[in-house]
Amino acid sequence: MPYLTSTGAALRTSGAEQLGVGVPGYAHPLLAPTEWAELNRPGTPLHWAVLNIDNGPGARPDPHCLEAAGRLRNARERALHGEAPDDAVRAAGGRLLGHLDLAFGSRPFGELVADAQSFLDWYRVGGFYLDRCPAERADLPAVRRLTSTLGALLEDSDSADGGGMLVLGHGTHPHPGYAEAADQLVTFRGPWTDYRWSQVAEWTAAYEPGRFAHFVHGVPRTHLEEAMRVARWQGAGTIFFTDRDGRRGQTDPFAALPSYWDEFVSRIGPGISE
């Protein structure tokens, strides 16, 4: 298959034990209480989850989102500082990331920084997810300026343990320079029909799997193992797969749990046979 490339094969297969779940953004906690509760379940290999109230932090603190954010922070504290974990992945404890919409570079810098500060003040997020991030070289200086500013805000915040985390939500392979602008890049976001035949950019082989995330919808249960194999070969460290496909009234296929959630998370972690 196209994803079985020889470039960087040793690096891609090493570190497979670092696979974890990234959640692009569940629906509001009132509409998706089960989804938010699952993030706090002990043993869930969660890397991070995105909080998005109204395409950003909203106009004022939302009490239901405040509660969900507090529960996730508490779960992270228990995972990091509680009893000895069974394995490093499942004890990593998921970060809560604030959703910032870059609108492919059209949002003003000041608006984005103001949204980021609201996320920190109200929800004490541990980082930011920069959705609809540009991918072209020409936009790289502006994105670097923004990520440098966000990094400084996170360093000054008492909620971002470990310096916080920045994820660029390109949804495709960007110019290689973006790899130095953030902690992680989303290099695929789309349907299984495209993902199963996709090819990884050669420059990604120089980086550890933890630097890349893949979000795939419309993955049938019968192809879940194959999808995870694609992710490992392509060097993704963070994934979210769902059988939801955005049709039949589903506005966002990633807003709810896949029907095979328990099977999905059980397949992630050390010692899983390829």
Side-chain angles (χ1 to χ4, degrees), residues 238-257:
T238 301
I239 59 176
F240 190 94
F241 297 154
T242 179
D243 51 350
R244 294 168 60 88
D245 56 13
R247 294 179 293 182
R248 295 184 294 275
Q250 302 170 6
T251 57
D252 181 356
F254 300 110
L257 292 174

Side-chain angles (χ1 to χ4, degrees), residues 75-149:
R76 178 173 172 80
E77 285 297 313
R78 289 194 300 271
L80 293 178
H81 306 298
E83 298 178 358
D86 294 332
D87 66 69
V89 173
R90 296 176 189 276
R95 293 181 186 271
L96 184 68
L97 306 182
H99 178 276
L100 301 177
D101 183 7
L102 272 60
F104 303 111
S106 66
R107 291 265 329 266
F109 174 82
E111 284 186 10
L112 292 165
V113 173
D115 280 357
Q117 190 63 62
S118 294
F119 269 121
L120 288 169
D121 292 343
W122 299 342
Y123 302 106
R124 299 182 61 202
V125 296
F128 298 102
Y129 180 83
L130 281 61
D131 197 14
R132 297 202 293 171
C133 184
E136 302 299 325
R137 182 174 184 175
D139 297 298
L140 182 54
V143 173
R144 280 179 169 166
R145 178 193 179 202
L146 177 61
T147 57
S148 295
T149 302

Side-chain angles (χ1 to χ4, degrees), residues 109-199:
F109 174 82
E111 284 186 10
L112 292 165
V113 173
D115 280 357
Q117 190 63 62
S118 294
F119 269 121
L120 288 169
D121 292 343
W122 299 342
Y123 302 106
R124 299 182 61 202
V125 296
F128 298 102
Y129 180 83
L130 281 61
D131 197 14
R132 297 202 293 171
C133 184
E136 302 299 325
R137 182 174 184 175
D139 297 298
L140 182 54
V143 173
R144 280 179 169 166
R145 178 193 179 202
L146 177 61
T147 57
S148 295
T149 302
L150 296 177
L153 290 177
L154 288 165
E155 287 182 3
D156 292 338
S157 171
D158 60 358
S159 65
D161 55 289
M165 185 174 192
L166 298 176
V167 179
L168 302 183
H170 305 285
T172 187
H173 287 96
H175 181 274
Y178 284 92
E180 306 304 323
D183 299 290
Q184 194 172 61
L185 313 180
V186 178
T187 53
F188 186 93
R189 178 169 180 153
W192 166 243
T193 50
D194 291 342
Y195 187 62
R196 69 182 307 189
W197 306 113
S198 64
Q199 297 188 32

